[in-house]
Amino acid sequence: MGNVKTKPQSKSDSVKQLLARAKGASIEEISEATQWQAHSVRSFLTGLRKKGFVLAREQRGDGGTVYRITSDPSAKEASR
């Protein structure tokens, strides 16, 4: 039983974890974590919005922009 295989985490799961952090994540941080280009990250964020996720866009003190998930539609489904 020590040979239990776990499903590898998908890139979309990784992005959702980054966006769920209190400090959020920048386009650059997501690009680095996924090896996606910036336009692909922006497209993914649009896809999340279309799926019902609410994303906050905030300015960092250094002038950068970060995104955070403020509402997750799967959390609402789980509470029903």
Side-chain angles (χ1 to χ4, degrees):
M1 285 198 232
N3 262 350
V4 177
K5 291 185 180 182
T6 59
K7 181 178 174 186
Q9 186 176 27
S10 69
K11 287 184 180 182
S12 63
D13 288 340
S14 297
V15 174
K16 288 177 190 174
Q17 283 186 339
L18 289 172
L19 294 171
R21 300 182 304 182
K23 68 178 187 172
S26 68
I27 298 284
E28 293 79 18
E29 290 169 331
I30 297 169
S31 291
E32 188 176 309
T34 59
Q35 301 303 305
W36 292 343
Q37 293 184 17
H39 69 272
S40 298
V41 173
R42 289 189 292 273
S43 177
F44 182 81
L45 296 177
T46 298
L48 285 178
R49 288 184 183 106
K50 288 181 178 183
K51 291 178 182 176
F53 287 84
V54 177
L55 300 176
R57 181 177 173 216
E58 302 166 346
Q59 293 295 120
R60 279 191 179 160
D62 63 3
T65 303
V66 294
Y67 299 86
R68 276 186 317 107
I69 293 175
T70 59
S71 179
D72 180 344
S74 62
K76 291 176 186 174
E77 292 294 321
S79 66
R80 289 185 186 184

